[in-house]
Amino acid sequence: MVISFYRGVWCPYCNMELQALEAALPSFRELGANLIAISPQTAVNSRKSVRQNHLDFPILSDVHNDVAAAFGLRFALPDYLVDLYTSLKNDLPSFNGDESWTLPMPGRFVIGQDGVILYAEVNPDYTRRPEPEDMLPALRKATQASVN
């Protein structure tokens, strides 16, 4: 399983990442992997992300960022960022249906059928994302392990 945590439909970097993951999806599926993205945005906004980015994989809504928190990715925006996002019309409470002003750090994980995390990439700089191909060695290893 490939899991990608992203910030939301309003984030251009996230949309580029989703499109890159979509392009890599055939390679993931060849290796027997499913792909999901997880975002704190509402289900309506997740469906909008799927439509806008022409995705063939699901985006799950992580209400209150609870799953992101379990992965150690959730953080609260400091006041200066709340002010900046508000001035840019990025009203996270509306996008997320949650007043917390929290986001996940972008993160990507490959999890084997045994539940073991085989690959993890997290960067607090939301502009820096790993290439989808970076996960292929871990997916190949998981495929070989399931064959043996």
Side-chain angles (χ1 to χ4, degrees):
M1 171 73 69
V2 175
I3 300 174
S4 180
F5 286 87
Y6 81 106
R7 296 153 27 107
V9 67
W10 52 269
C11 172
Y13 292 95
C14 296
N15 291 317
M16 287 187 292
E17 176 184 25
L18 292 174
Q19 292 164 15
L21 289 169
E22 177 67 27
L25 188 57
S27 297
F28 298 164
R29 288 185 173 156
E30 263 180 38
L31 293 168
N34 292 313
L35 167 64
I36 61 168
I38 300 176
S39 171
Q41 67 191 358
T42 63
V44 168
N45 284 319
S46 289
R47 288 191 296 273
K48 184 177 179 182
S49 288
V50 169
R51 277 193 318 275
Q52 281 184 345
N53 293 295
H54 309 286
L55 304 179
D56 194 30
F57 60 90
I59 296 176
L60 306 180
S61 295
D62 180 14
V63 179
H64 307 294
N65 273 308
D66 291 337
V67 176
F71 277 76
L73 303 176
R74 180 176 65 193
F75 70 97
L77 274 72
D79 291 341
Y80 77 92
L81 281 180
V82 171
D83 294 341
L84 176 64
Y85 278 47
T86 302
S87 74
L88 297 171
K89 308 288 188 240
N90 284 342
D91 182 9
L92 293 188
S94 292
F95 281 111
N96 297 346
D98 173 11
E99 297 294 324
S100 70
W101 285 93
T102 63
L103 287 174
M105 284 184 283
R108 197 150 331 129
F109 299 86
V110 172
I111 302 174
Q113 289 183 349
D114 58 1
V116 173
I117 295 175
L118 303 172
Y119 173 94
E121 175 92 19
V122 178
N123 194 323
D125 179 352
Y126 68 90
T127 66
R128 299 180 56 86
R129 313 286 173 101
E131 292 298 323
E133 295 78 24
D134 294 349
M135 293 177 292
L136 293 178
L139 289 170
R140 287 186 192 102
K141 182 178 177 184
T143 301
Q144 291 169 350
S146 68
V147 171
N148 294 332

